[in-house]
Amino acid sequence: MDEIILVLMLMILGHLLADHTLQQGWLWQAKCKDYWADKGDKFKHDYIAALVCHCVMWGILVFLPLTFFCDEFGWFWLALNINIAIHYVVDDLKANRKAINLWQDQLIHLTQILVTWLGWALAQ
């Protein structure tokens, strides 16, 4: 039981590191279309690369605790990729489409973590 709670705590820590601490500065700006707007047409889609990098980093840090306790890696890779894709869509909605705010963004990401963790914990 202790490892189940530890995994959840570490997943949340990974989220806080990837979505807040490690994203401060350039990456936070670069994943926004507005950052590239005055740099010319050549760079107008570069925000996508920054957004993908952020989402992959987030996925790896959030899922890292599961690698120590997960026996079913088919499930792991599927869940990781689904969560990266959801994170991309949510961050694009916040940073570029301005359709959601930070509170909604964080609630969705924490829900992603809780649903993933619950799926893993129930399989234990």
Side-chain angles (χ1 to χ4, degrees):
M1 181 62 167
D2 293 338
E3 74 183 28
I4 291 174
I5 300 302
L6 176 64
V7 166
L8 177 60
M9 291 171 56
L10 290 172
M11 289 175 78
I12 292 171
L13 177 62
H15 163 72
L16 293 172
L17 289 171
D19 223 35
H20 299 284
T21 305
L22 297 176
Q23 191 180 193
Q24 291 180 3
W26 184 82
L27 186 56
W28 174 80
Q29 294 174 3
K31 71 178 195 174
C32 300
K33 286 182 189 179
D34 296 344
Y35 175 81
W36 301 97
D38 63 347
K39 296 179 179 30
D41 272 355
K42 181 179 178 181
F43 304 102
K44 70 181 181 180
H45 297 295
D46 283 7
Y47 77 95
I48 295 170
L51 191 51
V52 167
C53 286
H54 163 67
C55 294
V56 169
M57 177 182 65
W58 179 88
I60 290 170
L61 284 175
V62 167
F63 274 68
L64 190 60
L66 291 175
T67 63
F68 296 103
F69 301 104
C70 187
D71 294 330
E72 180 54 52
F73 281 98
W75 172 89
F76 175 87
W77 289 114
L78 179 63
L80 173 63
N81 285 299
I82 289 171
N83 274 282
I84 288 171
I86 291 170
H87 196 95
Y88 180 94
V89 169
V90 170
D91 274 23
D92 190 51
L93 286 171
K94 180 184 52 120
N96 297 308
R97 302 183 195 284
K98 309 216 184 327
I100 63 173
N101 63 31
L102 180 62
W103 286 99
Q104 293 164 320
D105 167 86
Q106 292 301 295
L107 182 61
I108 293 167
H109 295 328
L110 289 172
T111 300
Q112 287 179 252
I113 291 167
L114 288 172
V115 168
T116 302
W117 171 78
L118 187 58
W120 168 79
L122 290 174
Q124 297 305 302

XYZ file of all heavy atoms in Angstrom, residues 2-69:
561
model
N 1.956 1.227 0.718
C 2.813 2.404 0.791
C 3.359 2.805 -0.576
O 3.443 3.979 -0.890
C 3.982 2.167 1.751
C 3.521 2.039 3.189
O 2.423 2.525 3.502
O 4.263 1.467 3.987
N 3.723 1.811 -1.398
C 4.276 2.133 -2.705
C 3.221 2.772 -3.610
O 3.550 3.603 -4.455
C 4.884 0.910 -3.380
C 3.892 -0.086 -3.917
C 4.539 -1.313 -4.501
O 5.638 -1.698 -4.078
O 3.927 -1.908 -5.399
N 1.971 2.430 -3.431
C 0.899 2.994 -4.247
C 0.763 4.498 -3.982
O 0.671 5.299 -4.915
C -0.429 2.244 -4.020
C -0.304 0.834 -4.607
C -1.608 2.983 -4.628
C -1.473 -0.075 -4.352
N 0.784 4.888 -2.720
C 0.714 6.309 -2.354
C 1.996 7.028 -2.772
O 1.952 8.154 -3.273
C 0.456 6.476 -0.841
C -0.871 5.814 -0.440
C 0.478 7.946 -0.445
C -2.085 6.351 -1.178
N 3.132 6.378 -2.610
C 4.412 6.963 -3.014
C 4.420 7.266 -4.517
O 4.871 8.326 -4.938
C 5.570 6.027 -2.657
C 6.955 6.472 -3.114
C 7.354 7.771 -2.419
C 7.977 5.375 -2.851
N 3.908 6.352 -5.322
C 3.857 6.565 -6.770
C 3.005 7.790 -7.093
O 3.393 8.624 -7.913
C 3.348 5.303 -7.507
C 2.975 5.615 -8.948
C 4.400 4.207 -7.454
N 1.846 7.927 -6.454
C 0.999 9.096 -6.695
C 1.725 10.384 -6.314
O 1.712 11.360 -7.090
C -0.312 8.996 -5.910
C -1.241 10.207 -6.027
C -1.658 10.438 -7.473
C -2.448 10.035 -5.113
N 2.373 10.389 -5.179
C 3.106 11.584 -4.747
C 4.220 11.932 -5.732
O 4.419 13.098 -6.082
C 3.661 11.377 -3.341
C 2.589 11.330 -2.273
S 3.193 10.821 -0.644
C 4.468 11.998 -0.347
N 4.937 10.929 -6.213
C 6.026 11.167 -7.160
C 5.500 11.609 -8.525
O 6.132 12.429 -9.199
C 6.904 9.926 -7.292
C 7.754 9.599 -6.052
C 8.426 8.238 -6.217
C 8.772 10.691 -5.784
N 4.347 11.090 -8.926
C 3.746 11.532 -10.187
C 3.349 13.011 -10.096
O 3.572 13.775 -11.038
C 2.532 10.669 -10.538
C 2.888 9.253 -10.956
S 1.430 8.211 -11.241
C 0.917 8.794 -12.868
N 2.783 13.408 -8.971
C 2.417 14.809 -8.781
C 3.667 15.680 -8.724
O 3.710 16.766 -9.310
C 1.529 14.982 -7.533
C 0.171 14.316 -7.778
C 1.358 16.458 -7.178
C -0.712 14.220 -6.555
N 4.713 15.197 -8.066
C 5.976 15.934 -8.035
C 6.534 16.099 -9.456
O 6.988 17.175 -9.829
C 6.994 15.228 -7.144
C 8.381 15.861 -7.090
C 8.318 17.282 -6.522
C 9.326 14.988 -6.263
N 6.486 15.041 -10.249
C 6.936 15.123 -11.638
C 6.143 16.165 -12.412
O 6.698 16.925 -13.202
N 4.843 16.218 -12.160
C 3.998 17.235 -12.803
C 4.427 18.639 -12.400
O 4.582 19.516 -13.248
C 2.532 17.008 -12.431
C 1.666 18.192 -12.691
N 1.327 18.594 -13.965
C 1.095 19.085 -11.854
C 0.570 19.678 -13.892
N 0.417 19.992 -12.611
N 4.624 18.847 -11.107
C 5.013 20.173 -10.629
C 6.359 20.601 -11.207
O 6.535 21.755 -11.600
C 5.045 20.198 -9.106
C 3.681 20.035 -8.422
C 3.858 19.873 -6.919
C 2.760 21.187 -8.755
N 7.284 19.667 -11.279
C 8.593 19.991 -11.861
C 8.487 20.318 -13.347
O 9.019 21.322 -13.813
C 9.573 18.827 -11.651
C 10.060 18.609 -10.221
C 10.839 17.310 -10.126
C 10.907 19.782 -9.769
N 7.799 19.463 -14.093
C 7.744 19.634 -15.548
C 6.837 20.778 -15.972
O 7.143 21.486 -16.929
C 7.277 18.334 -16.206
N 5.728 20.971 -15.277
C 4.758 21.966 -15.730
C 5.009 23.348 -15.137
O 4.415 24.311 -15.606
C 3.332 21.504 -15.388
C 2.372 21.742 -16.540
O 2.803 21.600 -17.696
O 1.201 22.059 -16.290
N 5.865 23.431 -14.144
C 6.116 24.731 -13.518
C 7.610 25.059 -13.481
O 8.074 25.938 -14.179
C 5.498 24.783 -12.118
C 4.008 24.601 -12.161
N 3.152 25.590 -12.556
C 3.244 23.509 -11.917
C 1.909 25.128 -12.531
N 1.942 23.875 -12.152
N 8.375 24.320 -12.705
C 9.787 24.651 -12.491
C 10.608 24.594 -13.770
O 11.295 25.556 -14.118
C 10.400 23.708 -11.435
O 9.600 23.773 -10.255
C 11.818 24.101 -11.121
N 10.564 23.499 -14.501
C 11.417 23.321 -15.684
C 10.909 24.069 -16.911
O 11.621 24.179 -17.902
C 11.560 21.834 -16.006
C 12.240 20.999 -14.928
C 12.246 19.534 -15.319
C 13.656 21.498 -14.673
N 9.712 24.587 -16.839
C 9.135 25.274 -17.985
C 9.310 26.795 -17.898
O 8.974 27.510 -18.831
C 7.638 24.928 -18.077
C 7.011 25.355 -19.335
C 5.539 25.009 -19.417
O 5.003 25.098 -20.474
N 4.881 24.634 -18.345
N 9.825 27.273 -16.814
C 9.996 28.719 -16.671
C 10.993 29.223 -17.704
O 11.950 28.565 -18.049
C 10.476 29.068 -15.267
C 9.431 28.816 -14.218
C 9.914 29.158 -12.830
O 11.020 29.638 -12.636
N 9.079 28.902 -11.849
N 10.746 30.427 -18.186
C 11.675 31.029 -19.130
C 11.325 30.736 -20.568
O 10.175 30.824 -20.979
N 12.322 30.348 -21.356
C 12.177 30.238 -22.793
C 11.126 29.224 -23.237
O 10.327 29.509 -24.136
C 13.532 29.903 -23.431
C 13.447 29.868 -24.914
C 13.486 30.936 -25.758
C 13.273 28.713 -25.735
N 13.347 30.518 -27.066
C 13.214 29.151 -27.075
C 13.160 27.354 -25.470
C 13.055 28.284 -28.132
C 12.998 26.487 -26.533
C 12.954 26.956 -27.845
N 11.108 28.035 -22.654
C 10.185 26.997 -23.109
C 8.738 27.443 -22.951
O 7.901 27.202 -23.815
C 10.431 25.675 -22.377
C 9.624 24.474 -22.862
C 9.845 24.229 -24.354
C 9.979 23.238 -22.066
N 8.447 28.105 -21.856
C 7.095 28.607 -21.633
C 6.706 29.578 -22.741
O 5.586 29.560 -23.234
C 7.010 29.280 -20.259
C 5.705 29.943 -20.018
C 4.540 29.336 -19.636
C 5.398 31.326 -20.172
N 3.550 30.258 -19.536
C 4.043 31.496 -19.861
C 6.150 32.445 -20.545
C 3.418 32.725 -19.905
C 5.518 33.672 -20.577
C 4.177 33.804 -20.262
N 7.619 30.435 -23.138
C 7.347 31.403 -24.208
C 7.301 30.719 -25.575
O 6.446 31.029 -26.409
C 8.421 32.484 -24.231
C 8.430 33.366 -23.021
C 9.624 34.324 -23.039
O 10.395 34.359 -23.984
N 9.761 35.099 -21.987
N 8.227 29.808 -25.810
C 8.385 29.207 -27.133
C 7.216 28.322 -27.536
O 6.979 28.118 -28.725
C 9.686 28.403 -27.184
N 6.456 27.803 -26.571
C 5.320 26.960 -26.927
C 4.087 27.791 -27.297
O 3.046 27.237 -27.639
C 5.002 25.956 -25.820
C 4.420 26.531 -24.578
C 4.114 25.421 -23.586
C 3.199 25.961 -22.502
N 2.765 24.921 -21.594
N 4.232 29.099 -27.274
C 3.148 30.014 -27.638
C 3.379 30.565 -29.043
O 4.473 31.033 -29.361
C 3.074 31.178 -26.651
S 2.776 30.664 -24.952
N 2.348 30.536 -29.872
C 2.440 31.089 -31.233
C 2.887 32.544 -31.206
O 3.651 32.976 -32.062
C 1.084 31.024 -31.929
C 0.657 29.692 -32.382
C -0.684 29.832 -33.096
C -1.276 28.493 -33.403
N -2.574 28.616 -34.078
N 2.391 33.284 -30.231
C 2.687 34.725 -30.154
C 4.186 35.007 -30.073
O 4.654 36.021 -30.583
C 1.992 35.346 -28.934
C 0.484 35.282 -29.037
O -0.040 35.041 -30.146
O -0.185 35.472 -28.004
N 4.926 34.123 -29.434
C 6.373 34.309 -29.296
C 7.058 34.357 -30.663
O 8.015 35.085 -30.873
C 6.964 33.192 -28.436
C 8.471 33.226 -28.326
C 9.096 34.083 -27.430
C 9.263 32.406 -29.116
C 10.474 34.130 -27.328
C 10.646 32.433 -29.019
C 11.246 33.298 -28.126
O 12.611 33.345 -28.021
N 6.565 33.576 -31.603
C 7.188 33.443 -32.921
C 6.616 34.416 -33.945
O 7.145 34.519 -35.056
C 7.008 32.008 -33.424
C 7.607 31.004 -32.501
C 6.965 30.282 -31.540
C 8.979 30.616 -32.424
N 7.847 29.461 -30.880
C 9.102 29.649 -31.400
C 10.121 30.995 -33.128
C 10.307 29.058 -31.058
C 11.333 30.399 -32.789
C 11.410 29.442 -31.767
N 5.550 35.137 -33.587
C 4.822 35.969 -34.551
C 5.699 37.010 -35.249
O 5.541 37.241 -36.445
C 3.647 36.649 -33.861
N 6.617 37.617 -34.534
C 7.443 38.674 -35.134
C 8.769 38.164 -35.698
O 9.618 38.944 -36.090
C 7.696 39.783 -34.108
C 8.481 39.299 -32.905
O 8.620 38.075 -32.729
O 8.949 40.156 -32.126
N 8.929 36.863 -35.775
C 10.183 36.283 -36.243
C 10.114 35.844 -37.712
O 11.068 35.303 -38.236
C 10.596 35.136 -35.339
C 10.889 35.654 -33.921
C 11.264 34.574 -32.986
C 11.589 35.032 -31.600
N 10.961 36.209 -31.070
N 8.970 36.034 -38.356
C 8.825 35.714 -39.773
C 8.137 34.392 -40.033
O 8.010 33.541 -39.143
N 7.689 34.212 -41.265
C 6.957 33.010 -41.672
C 7.760 31.721 -41.493
O 7.190 30.663 -41.256
C 6.524 33.115 -43.132
C 5.178 33.802 -43.271
O 4.550 34.105 -42.238
O 4.760 34.029 -44.421
N 9.053 31.816 -41.644
C 9.916 30.635 -41.525
C 9.745 29.946 -40.169
O 9.905 28.736 -40.060
C 11.370 31.054 -41.726
C 12.366 29.928 -41.642
C 13.770 30.453 -41.878
C 14.796 29.363 -41.754
N 16.153 29.879 -41.954
N 9.402 30.714 -39.152
C 9.335 30.187 -37.784
C 7.916 30.064 -37.236
O 7.738 29.741 -36.067
C 10.141 31.096 -36.846
C 11.566 31.263 -37.278
C 11.982 32.416 -37.919
C 12.482 30.242 -37.069
C 13.297 32.567 -38.332
C 13.800 30.379 -37.484
C 14.213 31.542 -38.120
N 6.900 30.283 -38.079
C 5.536 30.370 -37.564
C 5.010 29.059 -36.960
O 4.065 29.080 -36.181
C 4.577 30.896 -38.622
C 4.287 29.966 -39.765
C 3.332 30.628 -40.743
C 3.001 29.692 -41.880
N 2.087 30.316 -42.823
N 5.617 27.932 -37.291
C 5.172 26.651 -36.721
C 6.154 26.092 -35.695
O 5.977 24.968 -35.217
C 4.939 25.632 -37.835
C 3.858 26.031 -38.787
N 2.541 26.148 -38.405
C 3.903 26.374 -40.098
C 1.819 26.530 -39.436
N 2.625 26.681 -40.481
N 7.174 26.849 -35.348
C 8.178 26.367 -34.399
C 7.615 26.173 -32.989
O 8.163 25.412 -32.196
C 9.384 27.302 -34.350
C 10.293 27.111 -35.555
O 9.922 26.357 -36.472
O 11.377 27.721 -35.574
N 6.511 26.831 -32.686
C 5.889 26.636 -31.374
C 5.498 25.174 -31.169
O 5.493 24.677 -30.046
C 4.667 27.559 -31.208
C 3.433 27.078 -31.947
C 2.470 26.318 -31.285
C 3.229 27.371 -33.292
C 1.341 25.873 -31.954
C 2.121 26.935 -33.961
C 1.168 26.184 -33.287
O 0.051 25.736 -33.952
N 5.187 24.483 -32.276
C 4.779 23.072 -32.186
C 5.917 22.225 -31.630
O 5.701 21.367 -30.767
C 4.306 22.552 -33.558
C 3.039 23.303 -33.987
C 4.063 21.047 -33.507
C 2.624 23.042 -35.433
N 7.137 22.461 -32.091
C 8.294 21.708 -31.593
C 8.502 21.951 -30.101
O 8.760 21.013 -29.337
C 9.552 22.075 -32.375
N 8.385 23.196 -29.675
C 8.545 23.518 -28.252
C 7.441 22.877 -27.428
O 7.686 22.349 -26.335
C 8.562 25.032 -28.054
N 6.225 22.892 -27.949
C 5.095 22.300 -27.239
C 5.260 20.786 -27.127
O 5.026 20.203 -26.066
C 3.795 22.671 -27.960
C 2.476 22.388 -27.277
C 2.436 22.936 -25.861
C 1.334 22.977 -28.094
N 5.706 20.159 -28.204
C 5.955 18.709 -28.163
C 7.055 18.384 -27.152
O 6.915 17.445 -26.350
C 6.312 18.159 -29.568
C 6.872 16.748 -29.477
C 5.091 18.203 -30.476
N 8.147 19.150 -27.165
C 9.240 18.916 -26.208
C 8.733 19.013 -24.771
O 9.050 18.166 -23.934
C 10.369 19.919 -26.422
S 11.339 19.600 -27.889
N 7.946 20.039 -24.499
C 7.400 20.197 -23.143
C 6.515 19.014 -22.771
O 6.631 18.462 -21.672
C 6.610 21.504 -23.017
C 5.726 21.522 -21.827
N 6.228 21.539 -20.535
C 4.383 21.481 -21.707
C 5.219 21.513 -19.677
N 4.093 21.481 -20.373
N 5.645 18.598 -23.678
C 4.702 17.516 -23.370
C 5.409 16.178 -23.162
O 5.038 15.400 -22.283
C 3.652 17.409 -24.471
S 2.581 18.865 -24.535
N 6.430 15.917 -23.960
C 7.205 14.680 -23.789
C 7.957 14.714 -22.457
O 7.970 13.723 -21.719
C 8.162 14.456 -24.982
C 9.152 13.342 -24.691
C 7.357 14.160 -26.240
N 8.568 15.861 -22.136
C 9.259 16.000 -20.849
C 8.276 15.774 -19.697
O 8.573 15.050 -18.738
C 9.895 17.382 -20.728
C 10.575 17.632 -19.394
S 11.277 19.289 -19.236
C 9.810 20.305 -19.293
N 7.102 16.366 -19.797
C 6.081 16.203 -18.764
C 5.709 14.723 -18.632
O 5.667 14.184 -17.534
C 4.844 17.038 -19.114
C 3.735 16.923 -18.124
C 3.560 17.679 -17.003
C 2.646 15.998 -18.147
N 2.423 17.278 -16.336
C 1.845 16.247 -17.031
C 2.266 14.976 -19.024
C 0.689 15.530 -16.740
C 1.107 14.254 -18.745
C 0.339 14.535 -17.613
N 5.456 14.073 -19.766
C 5.072 12.665 -19.734
C 6.137 11.795 -19.094
O 5.838 10.926 -18.268
N 7.386 12.020 -19.450
C 8.475 11.218 -18.882
C 8.584 11.436 -17.374
O 8.691 10.482 -16.606
C 9.806 11.530 -19.591
C 9.769 10.973 -21.021
C 10.992 10.961 -18.817
C 10.927 11.425 -21.896
N 8.541 12.687 -16.941
C 8.678 12.947 -15.505
C 7.486 12.436 -14.699
O 7.649 11.927 -13.589
C 8.891 14.443 -15.238
C 10.293 14.939 -15.556
C 10.384 16.451 -15.394
C 11.325 14.258 -14.671
N 6.287 12.549 -15.253
C 5.106 12.063 -14.538
C 5.076 10.542 -14.501
O 4.703 9.945 -13.497
C 3.813 12.636 -15.173
C 2.572 11.924 -14.664
C 3.709 14.136 -14.888
N 5.491 9.908 -15.574
C 5.422 8.453 -15.659
C 6.656 7.745 -15.087
O 6.629 6.538 -14.887
C 5.198 8.022 -17.112
C 3.755 7.995 -17.497
C 3.025 9.169 -17.599
C 3.117 6.798 -17.738
C 1.688 9.149 -17.937
C 1.780 6.761 -18.081
C 1.061 7.947 -18.186
N 7.710 8.471 -14.823
C 8.938 7.859 -14.314
C 8.706 6.979 -13.083
O 9.223 5.858 -13.030
C 9.988 8.943 -14.030
C 11.391 8.458 -13.722
C 11.954 7.652 -14.886
C 12.287 9.648 -13.415
N 7.920 7.405 -12.098
C 7.699 6.537 -10.931
C 7.055 5.193 -11.287
O 7.331 4.181 -10.640
C 6.759 7.357 -10.040
C 6.911 8.758 -10.485
C 7.271 8.708 -11.934
N 6.233 5.179 -12.325
C 5.579 3.931 -12.714
C 6.564 2.910 -13.270
O 6.315 1.709 -13.212
C 4.485 4.207 -13.749
C 3.266 4.963 -13.241
C 2.329 5.282 -14.394
C 2.546 4.191 -12.166
N 7.690 3.375 -13.809
C 8.659 2.442 -14.398
C 9.253 1.499 -13.355
O 9.698 0.416 -13.691
C 9.809 3.174 -15.118
O 10.542 3.958 -14.175
C 9.282 4.053 -16.231
N 9.242 1.919 -12.104
C 9.802 1.080 -11.037
C 8.832 0.019 -10.549
O 9.231 -0.959 -9.936
C 10.243 1.954 -9.855
C 11.346 2.894 -10.209
C 11.078 4.238 -10.432
C 12.652 2.448 -10.356
C 12.095 5.125 -10.775
C 13.672 3.317 -10.698
C 13.392 4.657 -10.910
N 7.543 0.205 -10.825
C 6.534 -0.690 -10.266
C 5.619 -1.316 -11.309
O 4.780 -2.132 -10.976
C 5.667 0.068 -9.246
C 6.454 0.652 -8.121
C 6.728 2.013 -8.086
C 6.949 -0.151 -7.101
C 7.455 2.568 -7.048
C 7.677 0.391 -6.059
C 7.937 1.756 -6.033
